[in-house]
Amino acid sequence: MTVKTKITCGFLALLTLLVALGGYAFYTTQRLDRNSRNILKANFYSVQLGQQMLRALDQMEVDSVAADGLRQFRRSLTREAGNITEPGEQELVDSLTQHLADYQRLFDNTAAPPRPAALGQLRRQTHRMMELNMNALVGKNDRANAAAARAGRYLLAFIAFSVLGALVLVLSVPEAAVGPLRQLQASIEHATNQDFSATIPVGSRDEFGRVAQAFNRMLVQLNNYRSSTLAQLVTERNRAASIVNSLDEGLLLLDQNRTVLLANPVACQLLGLAVEQLVGRQAAEVAQQNDLLRELLKPLDAPGREAAAADAPLLTITQNGEEAYYRPAVQDLVSFNQALDQVEFVGQILTLRNVSDFKRLDQVKSNFLATVSHELKTPLSSMNINLKLLLDERLPAEERLRITASIRQETQRLQRMVGELLAVSRLDSGAGIQLDVRATSLTDVVHYATATVQAQLDDKRLRLDLQLPPDLPAARADVEKTTWVLINLLANAIRYSPSNETLTVRAAAVGNQVQVSVQDHGPGIAAEHHERIFQRFAQLPDKAGYRGGSGLGLSIAREFITTQGGRLWVESELGSGSTFRFTLPAA
């Protein structure tokens, strides 16, 4: 049975009790009223008629010849004859009628006036008629009172039964509606406190039973959602912590009161403090004993804080014996408060970004500009002097040829530097390297490259040792780019090799690749610089202080070889010379 049906049945039962109680009360009052009316109509009326008859007799006794009294008596007796209600009353009325007839004959006979004895007989019979009705009236009244008392008792019992029934309905029907609501309220309070285990017992199939089933399903889903949400939150928190902890820059998170909420490992390392010494403490308090943190907090209190933070100088921090450069930055954190419908300040993020690489790159570029300026100035100055000498007509022909050769050599040097700069420009612009890869004889490449640098070999009195096997396989390579790489390696070897030494050029098949190497007997390169020399603008001064070329040749050479599917590297030690090797796929 549904709750709606229960409540409807309860109200219908109350309505039935009310209607039944009202109907019984109405029936009882109507019955009592009807009995009282019958009593008044029958017996009491007969008594009234008897009293009228007695008054008529009294008038007849006073005036024996009074006709009015006789007519009144006869009229009342006639009415009484029509109101016979009690046993024996008819006989009395008949007797009165007979005696009245006798009295009428006496009254009509004026010769013999009526005797008082005849009036006494009428009076006695009238009294008997009145007494009969009075006794009936008293009896009926007693019976009516008994019936009223009995009806009152029945009505009282019915009222008590109705009250008990109403109490039962009042106590049961609201409880049937409120009891499940209390269980639902208790379960909701448990769910509000994140306790989703307090389910509602399903004891019926009514609306509350269906609500309980739906609510229990909701609790299960909420519990599953909470578990999955917690797992996601833990995952996201761990992910965020991993991201923050893996940052290569220092990070401090402050709340609106400048209390440190978070410090990643880099920040702790730079500040020289453990996490426990930072998190939960006031930043100003920690800064009193920490110079770096004090410098980080300076822009926060400076007027025009954004401009002050943007113009903040780099901070120099010594790490592992080397200077590192960090740029501080401040970022305000804001949050939208939906309750107040406004944006609120909730904290700040202080970051220390490591710009050492950019600083070094800037320094390298500065050095590069100085080097390029020097490299350009030297050949240009030499060419200018030589051109002035050529203007002298007294100069011998042999000297003119030597000067012309020197100018050509300086011009080639300038062309090489400009070519390197153009190659770097194309690589940086994203144009890429245009290759013409085909089966190439590296023996021919080696011969062409060595012939190109032969003049430089002669100038430094260097010997060239070529070790090229006759069965060297062809390589899949771009002839122009590969020749450029080999010439660059040979030029570097010549530059760093002492006079009267030997340069060795080898080529051999290694698996499915062909390897070419250039070995010199120069000062060598320390192991920690083996990769650095392939970076742009990198320069390693030798013992004599010579800084070399532009610092772009090896970088471009590696790009050329890597693009062709090969590899370029160096094998060297200080004082033992260097061997540069590169490989290319075999054709």
Side-chain angles (χ1 to χ4, degrees):
M1 182 183 296
T2 64
V3 176
K4 179 180 179 181
T5 304
K6 292 179 182 178
I7 296 176
T8 303
C9 290
F11 280 113
L12 288 177
L14 286 175
L15 181 62
T16 302
L17 289 175
L18 181 62
V19 171
L21 181 61
Y24 182 75
F26 179 77
Y27 168 75
T28 303
T29 54
Q30 288 296 319
R31 182 180 178 185
L32 293 175
D33 181 69
R34 187 169 56 254
N35 290 337
S36 63
R37 287 178 181 275
N38 290 334
I39 292 172
L40 292 175
K41 180 179 179 182
N43 301 106
F44 189 71
Y45 185 57
S46 296
V47 172
Q48 285 181 333
L49 292 174
Q51 290 176 348
Q52 292 176 5
M53 292 167 65
L54 291 175
R55 285 195 294 272
L57 290 176
D58 291 339
Q59 185 178 3
M60 290 166 63
E61 286 182 351
V62 173
D63 186 3
S64 58
V65 294
D68 293 336
L70 183 59
R71 286 195 300 273
Q72 179 66 31
F73 187 86
R74 182 180 292 108
R75 187 168 50 253
S76 298
L77 181 59
T78 303
R79 292 177 179 174
E80 172 61 20
N83 191 38
I84 303 299
T85 58
E86 300 300 328
E89 188 176 4
Q90 183 65 45
E91 289 81 1
L92 288 174
V93 171
D94 292 341
S95 179
L96 280 171
T97 303
Q98 183 64 37
H99 286 86
L100 180 61
D102 294 341
Y103 184 81
Q104 182 68 40
R105 285 192 300 271
L106 291 175
F107 183 79
D108 294 336
N109 188 1
T110 56
R115 293 177 296 177
L119 292 176
Q121 186 66 29
L122 290 173
R123 187 181 296 278
R124 286 193 297 272
Q125 288 183 341
T126 300
H127 278 291
R128 287 180 60 188
M129 184 269 296
M130 291 178 63
E131 183 179 2
L132 178 64
N133 281 279
M134 285 296 294
N135 292 333
L137 182 63
V138 172
K140 288 183 178 181
N141 186 56
D142 291 339
R143 288 192 298 273
N145 290 335
R150 184 169 60 253
R153 289 194 299 270
Y154 290 161
L155 185 60
L156 184 61
F158 193 72
I159 291 173
F161 174 76
S162 299
V163 170
L164 290 177
L167 287 176
V168 171
L169 293 174
V170 168
L171 295 177
S172 61
V173 173
E175 183 63 26
V178 175
L181 290 178
R182 292 197 189 99
Q183 294 178 342
L184 180 60
Q185 178 185 3
S187 184
I188 291 176
E189 290 178 353
H190 285 289
T192 304
N193 296 326
Q194 298 185 356
D195 179 13
F196 302 113
S197 61
T199 57
I200 303 175
V202 181
S204 62
R205 296 185 178 180
D206 54 13
E207 292 90 344
F208 286 115
R210 292 192 292 271
V211 170
Q213 291 176 349
F215 187 79
N216 292 340
R217 288 195 301 271
M218 183 188 70
L219 288 181
V220 173
Q221 294 176 357
L222 284 176
N223 193 29
N224 295 336
Y225 178 74
R226 177 172 176 267
S227 300
S228 61
T229 303
L230 286 176
Q232 292 176 357
L233 288 176
V234 171
T235 302
E236 293 300 326
R237 184 192 64 183
N238 294 337
R239 183 179 301 170
S242 300
I243 294 174
V244 171
N245 292 333
S246 62
L247 290 176
D248 58 352
E249 60 184 50
L251 185 145
L252 286 176
L253 177 61
L254 309 181
D255 65 5
Q256 63 272 27
N257 300 318
R258 294 190 182 177
T259 300
V260 181
L261 300 179
L262 183 145
N264 71 341
V266 176
C268 295
Q269 181 182 1
L270 294 176
L271 295 173
L273 298 173
V275 177
E276 296 77 11
Q277 296 175 294
L278 288 171
V279 176
R281 298 183 60 188
Q282 286 288 326
E285 177 186 349
V286 180
Q288 293 177 358
Q289 289 81 29
N290 193 285
D291 296 336
L292 178 57
L293 184 57
R294 189 161 52 251
E295 291 294 326
L296 288 176
L297 296 179
K298 280 184 179 179
L300 301 183
D301 299 321
R305 185 165 57 80
E306 286 114 2
D311 297 336
L314 296 181
L315 300 178
T316 305
I317 303 174
T318 303
Q319 292 180 324
N320 301 324
E322 295 184 1
E323 288 186 346
Y325 300 91
Y326 287 85
R327 181 176 297 281
V330 179
Q331 179 66 45
D332 290 338
L333 298 178
V334 295
S335 176
F336 181 75
N337 190 327
Q338 294 183 350
L340 301 179
D341 193 22
Q342 64 182 14
V343 176
E344 295 182 345
F345 172 75
V346 295
Q348 294 165 323
I349 294 180
L350 305 181
T351 57
L352 277 172
R353 186 181 181 187
N354 191 343
V355 294
S356 301
D357 292 338
F358 300 101
K359 183 70 174 178
R360 283 192 289 268
L361 182 60
D362 184 66
Q363 184 64 39
V364 167
K365 287 186 176 180
S366 299
N367 296 336
F368 167 72
L369 291 176
T371 301
V372 169
S373 300
H374 174 76
E375 292 292 325
L376 291 175
K377 179 180 179 181
T378 300
L380 288 174
S381 298
S382 176
M383 292 170 63
N384 186 39
I385 293 173
N386 290 327
L387 288 173
K388 287 182 180 180
L389 291 175
L390 286 176
L391 294 176
D392 189 355
E393 297 179 355
R394 296 172 297 176
L395 195 67
E398 295 180 358
E399 187 65 20
R400 289 177 179 272
L401 290 175
R402 186 188 64 79
I403 293 175
T404 303
S406 177
I407 293 175
R408 183 176 65 251
Q409 184 177 358
E410 295 297 340
T411 302
Q412 292 175 351
R413 182 178 176 185
L414 289 175
Q415 288 177 341
R416 184 173 67 253
M417 293 182 62
V418 172
E420 291 177 352
L421 293 174
L422 290 176
V424 170
S425 176
R426 284 195 298 270
L427 292 176
D428 288 341
S429 65
I433 302 173
Q434 302 297 326
L435 297 177
D436 182 14
V437 178
R438 63 183 66 182
T440 303
S441 172
L442 290 183
T443 301
D444 295 340
V445 171
V446 171
H447 286 303
Y448 179 81
T450 54
T452 302
V453 299
Q454 187 62 49
Q456 301 178 38
L457 290 170
D458 294 339
D459 287 344
K460 292 195 70 173
R461 298 184 297 277
L462 296 175
R463 295 182 298 276
L464 186 62
D465 181 15
L466 298 180
Q467 299 181 12
L468 305 175
D471 56 348
L472 184 67
R476 294 188 71 258
D478 183 294
V479 176
E480 179 184 355
K481 302 297 189 297
T482 305
T483 304
W484 188 97
V485 171
L486 186 56
I487 291 174
N488 186 271
L489 295 180
L490 288 170
N492 288 339
I494 295 171
R495 180 183 299 119
Y496 289 104
S497 293
S499 300
N500 300 317
E501 286 291 343
T502 301
L503 295 183
T504 304
V505 179
R506 298 184 181 88
V510 180
N512 59 352
Q513 292 184 328
V514 181
Q515 184 182 104
V516 179
S517 63
V518 177
Q519 181 180 3
D520 63 49
H521 294 84
I525 303 171
E528 61 268 20
H529 299 313
H530 284 184
E531 287 299 318
R532 181 181 174 187
I533 60 175
F534 292 102
Q535 297 176 2
R536 294 181 185 179
F537 314 120
Q539 294 175 339
L540 300 177
D542 61 5
K543 295 179 180 179
Y546 180 73
R547 298 181 60 84
S550 63
L552 295 174
L554 289 177
S555 173
I556 298 173
R558 174 170 276 188
E559 290 280 353
F560 284 168
I561 295 300
T562 303
T563 306
Q564 296 179 75
R567 175 171 168 253
L568 172 62
W569 73 98
V570 65
E571 297 174 358
S572 178
E573 293 181 3
L574 283 176
S576 302
S578 303
T579 301
F580 285 83
R581 303 179 188 273
F582 67 86
T583 60
L584 291 171

